[in-house]
Amino acid sequence: MASTSGPAGQARGGVQRARQISADHEGFLRHRRFRWLKLASLLCLAAILAYALVDVQPRPNGGSWLGYTLGTIGAGLIVWLSLLGLRKRTMTRGAWSLKAWTSAHVYLGLSLIVVATLHTGFQLGWNVHTLAYVLMMLVIASGIWGVAVYAALPAALSANREELTREQMIEGVRAVDRQLHAAAQPLAQDEAALVRAALEESLFAGGLVARLSGTWRRCATARALERMALAGPGDEAADRVEKLLIRRKAQLDRLRRQMRLRALLEVWLFVHVPLTVALLAALTAHIVSVFYYW
Amino acid sequence: MTFRLRTVSTTADGRRIVRDRDVANDVLTVGRAAENDIHLPDLAVEPSHARIALQPGGRVAVEATGTLGFALDGQKLRSAAIDPRTGGELRFGSTRVLVGAEDGAVLLTIEPLANDSEAEPDEDGMALAAVMPGKRRLAWILAGLILALFLALPIASNLLRAPDVKQSHVIGDGSWTPGPLSLAHHQLEGKCEACHVKPFQSVRNETCLSCHKTVHDHAPAARLAMARAEPGLGGKLLGGVAHLFGKEGPGACMDCHREHEGMTRIPPPAQQFCADCHGSLKDRLTDTKLGNAADFARLHPQFAPMIMADPGAGTLRRVSLDAHPRENSGLAFPHKLHLDPRGGVAKMAATLAGEKGYGTNGLACADCHRPTEDGVRFKPIVMERDCEACHSLVYDKLGPTFRKLRHGDLDQAIADVTVAGNTTEPLVTGRARPGVRRVLP
């Protein structure tokens, strides 16, 4: 890591500091020696202490003064955390850099687990208040998944690519396809139909389940290969087609591994973002309903 | 007649190339195999797909030679006859063959159909976004549903409800309840508007009092206000915030009687509720006779029970427990004797156990001391009800009926006994009057 000069170096002054920031390659999790982790832990600790020490009668409740305080902090945090969606569109540096913001987003988001749970006073039920709580927990869980896959998957993604760009991978399949098309010309119609089905299949077929699980059940290339193999050794043309199909299948497999990794890497946002907006709606309903029936 | 084959192909940059070739045969074969007259390198075309033959009279017969057939003007067929002068469009796989007439020959224009599947999608097909509904759309749908069901519906239904609580019915506000009501208010479950009368206004004391009509103030309101301790800095802050949000302020019913805490009895108010005033009452209410009490167990003035000081005059007096008070009620009633499990009382109780419901181990407290109807206090002891089972008041028997003394009314009892003819010997002898010590001989 480039910035190993420590706090003494950081305190030395403007020029060095600026250089340090520009050469700073530490991730958003370790940002500024876990500054936001520490602040978020402090917030959790304060909330837990207050919950333990304040004697709310007859039992801890979101409607006590402590409950309202924790709720206000929680609601403020949720609104601020959701603003990352706007903030991320402008990248800046410095004390309020996007990296600092993201770091705070992760750790303060996690601290919501403590703050909001204590706000509930462990009173949950089938109501809009618990709906908001559950949505918040789902958003946090998907966020944890997101942080985990961002740490784990990019290496696998780049290993699977083997230095190829996306266009190169697709062009590889297309090259095999052109050869297959030519090689399949002498085939009988039933075999030609198998090859045609394989050629006509979209490279990006497969929905959410197929992509996440990595099982492409209705793969036309695999089926063509299977049938050709079942038919046994054929003439020279059939053998050539079979070899080309094997090549196509290998290329397709790599493409699909890439698609699976991409799906695992990206799926959390399809939970995180819509559920955040749903959470904001539920939070609005939660707060308005409390004051409506005040 | 001959065939003229016109092959149209398109170059990569969109230029059309047209080649004409005249064929003198009467029959043309169509297929994927290279030896066909019309060779279509298309896997959707069979090696030998169809034959096109000239018929006498200038018509053209098309016949499928394989299993797949062809389309004529969009209709799937296995054989067809076409007049070149009217024309027609044949389709084999992804190739179109237009039949027409030109210079006395049958013109077949062969043109591949534009292939859409070749075009790659502009977006990144590998991204999950390609197969998922948009995040923004999902978000709007979810948020819209939640706001409609859990906010708009209850509010609209509440605003449009019948003004009378008995007839009103609000839809959807069940999702707003933060917890079940207490047992006492259970019948109001789902009738939120009974207590939450006006939107954005906290539950008022007057709403509570509209049902709890007999509840009175603990003391006159002015004295209550005077007695209440000045809150500390934190208390002032909380009071200020509560006031800002429209709470009724100190002494409101809701301050102590919390609802939506589960289907149990409403928990009794904490003793802090008492101590707020009584903890340092003398400082503010200087004329009070009550001592300061901040805690029932530890910071409470000594209890001073009211005891009978003079049974003859009936004078009652409060005496502190510290002064070891002894009551002189005029009665000689030893609890010890009555509750001894091995004494005569126990024996008597055991013989009456079946009839009167006493336990077999002698008397218990509840055999004489009966609770009041509300279960809060005890009824005063009444001779006839609580003692007579053992201590009979019968003094005479007249046929099947018994004559009884009027207990507690001495003059009446004397009159009864004097006036009525004493029939027999007294039923009880050698018994002293209550309260008068018997002098043993």
Side-chain angles (χ1 to χ4, degrees):
Chain A
M1 200 170 288
S3 63
T4 48
S5 50
Q10 280 177 6
R12 223 171 283 157
V15 180
Q16 178 147 4
R17 192 183 172 83
R19 197 181 305 144
Q20 216 169 39
I21 288 167
S22 65
D24 191 0
H25 285 143
E26 66 183 2
F28 64 86
L29 290 178
R30 310 178 66 90
H31 176 74
R32 299 259 156 187
R33 299 168 167 262
F34 297 103
R35 170 188 288 175
W36 287 103
L37 173 62
K38 289 172 192 161
L39 282 172
S41 308
L42 214 62
L43 175 64
C44 292
L45 204 68
I48 291 171
L49 266 179
Y51 188 84
L53 295 180
V54 174
D55 182 23
V56 175
Q57 290 295 338
R59 54 176 290 192
N61 181 288
S64 64
W65 72 264
L66 180 66
Y68 287 130
T69 309
L70 289 173
T72 309
I73 295 172
L77 276 178
I78 287 174
V79 171
W80 179 80
L81 290 165
S82 60
L83 287 178
L84 182 71
L86 304 178
R87 176 66 180 83
K88 70 172 185 186
R89 289 172 166 85
T90 1
M91 284 215 192
T92 53
R93 288 179 169 172
W96 296 100
S97 66
L98 185 56
K99 194 205 282 178
W101 194 288
T102 311
S103 187
H105 179 90
V106 169
Y107 290 118
L108 291 178
L110 286 172
S111 76
L112 259 184
I113 298 176
V114 174
V115 171
T117 305
L118 295 182
H119 167 63
T120 68
F122 300 95
Q123 287 179 311
L124 302 173
W126 295 102
N127 49 45
V128 70
H129 320 296
T130 302
L131 173 70
Y133 176 74
V134 169
L135 284 173
M136 187 205 73
M137 293 306 258
L138 287 176
V139 169
I140 296 175
S142 64
I144 293 173
W145 169 265
V147 170
V149 292
Y150 270 44
L153 289 188
L157 208 56
S158 107
N160 184 55
R161 262 193 320 124
E162 290 169 355
E163 311 274 307
L164 293 174
T165 63
R166 181 168 59 96
E167 283 70 23
Q168 283 169 330
M169 284 166 94
I170 295 167
E171 189 44 42
V173 183
R174 291 281 172 247
V176 175
D177 282 0
R178 283 189 290 273
Q179 296 171 56
L180 252 180
H181 187 263
Q185 292 300 326
L187 291 188
Q189 188 48 38
D190 52 346
E191 288 177 327
L194 288 172
V195 174
R196 187 164 69 94
L199 292 179
E200 281 180 355
E201 187 181 37
S202 165
L203 291 184
F204 308 115
L208 178 68
V209 177
R211 286 179 183 220
L212 284 180
S213 63
T215 47
W216 272 262
R217 284 184 192 286
R218 283 171 303 183
C219 170
T221 308
R223 191 166 48 218
L225 204 50
E226 209 173 284
R227 297 271 177 85
M228 301 275 290
L230 268 181
D235 54 8
E236 203 181 319
D239 283 352
R240 189 169 143 64
V241 166
E242 202 174 327
K243 286 202 181 84
L244 282 166
L245 278 172
I246 291 171
R247 270 173 62 193
R248 185 177 206 273
K249 182 75 173 48
Q251 301 237 21
L252 211 53
D253 282 347
R254 178 165 60 190
L255 202 70
R256 285 174 176 169
R257 273 199 301 277
Q258 199 74 359
M259 267 158 53
R260 173 159 193 238
L261 290 170
R262 285 282 298 271
L264 289 172
L265 194 65
E266 289 163 5
V267 71
W268 73 281
L269 269 176
F270 285 87
V271 180
H272 200 72
V273 172
L275 285 197
T276 296
V277 180
L279 165 61
L280 288 174
L283 193 67
T284 309
H286 163 61
I287 294 170
V288 171
S289 72
V290 164
F291 284 107
Y292 194 91
Y293 280 171
W294 188 214
Chain B
M1 276 187 56
T2 55
F3 283 110
R4 177 172 292 171
L5 302 183
R6 177 168 294 166
T7 316
V8 181
S9 54
T10 313
T11 61
D13 53 359
R15 208 152 42 83
R16 277 160 66 90
I17 301 171
V18 181
R19 287 194 198 87
D20 279 1
R21 173 163 66 100
D22 286 334
V23 183
N25 298 358
D26 283 350
V27 178
L28 294 177
T29 57
V30 181
R32 173 153 46 84
E35 60 268 23
N36 285 293
D37 298 311
I38 301 176
H39 171 217
L40 302 172
D42 178 356
L43 295 179
V45 173
E46 290 180 81
S48 169
H49 199 108
R51 57 201 289 278
I52 301 172
L54 283 174
Q55 281 185 328
R59 289 166 76 86
V60 176
V62 186
E63 203 173 330
T65 50
T67 54
L68 288 182
F70 57 90
L72 170 62
D73 295 333
Q75 200 183 349
K76 288 213 90 172
L77 294 170
R78 291 197 55 79
S79 70
I82 306 165
D83 189 339
R85 279 158 299 188
T86 33
E89 186 195 274
L90 291 166
R91 194 173 157 180
F92 305 97
S94 59
T95 306
R96 187 166 58 189
V97 178
L98 280 166
V99 183
E102 192 178 80
D103 303 337
V106 175
L107 174 69
L108 298 178
T109 311
I110 303 160
E111 194 171 2
L113 291 166
N115 195 346
D116 298 333
S117 67
E118 275 299 308
E120 288 296 337
D122 286 340
E123 62 183 46
D124 180 1
M126 269 198 234
L128 191 60
V131 293
M132 288 290 284
K135 292 195 266 284
R136 197 165 290 197
R137 199 153 64 106
L138 271 176
W140 282 119
I141 290 172
L142 284 173
L145 271 177
I146 288 172
L147 287 177
L149 279 177
F150 299 122
L151 195 62
L153 176 69
I155 287 182
S157 176
N158 181 278
L159 292 176
L160 298 172
R161 75 182 197 267
D164 182 20
V165 174
K166 284 204 176 99
Q167 277 144 32
S168 67
H169 179 60
V170 179
I171 308 165
D173 61 356
S175 66
W176 285 4
T177 178
L181 291 171
S182 64
L183 284 171
H185 291 148
H186 185 57
Q187 78 280 10
L188 291 173
E189 201 76 73
K191 268 276 178 200
C192 312
E193 67 275 19
C195 300
H196 301 279
V197 176
K198 224 171 128 187
F200 300 107
Q201 187 191 57
S202 68
V203 175
R204 305 271 107 175
N205 291 340
E206 67 205 42
T207 310
C208 304
L209 293 174
S210 66
C211 288
H212 297 273
K213 289 187 166 64
T214 56
V215 172
H216 56 81
D217 279 340
H218 182 62
R223 278 181 78 76
L224 272 179
M226 223 195 311
R228 195 167 285 120
E230 186 78 1
L233 199 64
K236 270 191 190 142
L237 180 72
L238 291 183
V241 173
H243 183 72
L244 199 70
F245 281 92
K247 290 283 185 189
E248 270 189 305
C253 308
M254 294 285 294
D255 276 6
C256 302
H257 304 288
R258 311 282 314 185
E259 254 303 354
H260 294 290
E261 295 279 4
M263 219 172 84
T264 54
R265 296 180 64 150
I266 292 193
Q271 69 174 2
Q272 184 58 41
F273 171 67
C274 310
D276 278 346
C277 297
H278 285 274
S280 51
L281 191 66
K282 274 200 174 298
D283 301 350
R284 295 178 299 280
L285 224 56
T286 44
D287 59 338
T288 184
K289 295 193 202 77
L290 301 172
N292 287 341
D295 186 297
F296 272 115
R298 292 177 289 112
L299 293 167
H300 199 281
Q302 184 55 281
F303 289 97
M306 182 94 81
I307 59 168
M308 185 75 79
D310 179 357
T315 326
L316 294 167
R317 199 151 52 86
R318 282 202 176 275
V319 182
S320 164
L321 284 179
D322 292 337
H324 303 291
R326 293 195 77 82
E327 188 175 48
N328 178 13
S329 62
L331 290 174
F333 182 86
H335 272 105
K336 198 180 164 192
L337 188 85
H338 278 79
L339 292 171
D340 184 354
R342 281 193 296 275
V345 175
K347 215 167 167 89
M348 176 105 184
T351 53
L352 291 172
E355 192 186 335
K356 297 286 177 187
Y358 300 141
T360 46
N361 278 336
L363 290 178
C365 307
D367 290 332
C368 305
H369 296 282
R370 326 262 167 176
T372 52
E373 308 305 334
D374 58 5
V376 175
R377 292 186 173 77
F378 286 98
K379 290 176 178 169
I381 296 288
V382 175
M383 170 70 198
E384 284 78 5
R385 186 187 59 214
D386 303 316
C387 315
E388 213 200 331
C390 299
H391 302 280
S392 176
L393 291 169
V394 172
Y395 66 90
D396 194 10
K397 191 181 178 198
L398 208 71
T401 45
F402 295 98
R403 301 175 72 190
K404 280 184 177 182
L405 285 171
R406 306 267 187 107
H407 186 263
D409 192 345
L410 197 58
D411 297 335
Q412 187 67 49
I414 290 170
D416 278 356
V417 176
T418 316
V419 170
N422 262 338
T423 50
T424 55
E425 291 291 301
L427 291 174
V428 185
T429 54
R431 192 168 150 182
R433 275 177 57 193
V436 177
R437 280 179 190 273
R438 192 154 21 128
V439 182
L440 290 169

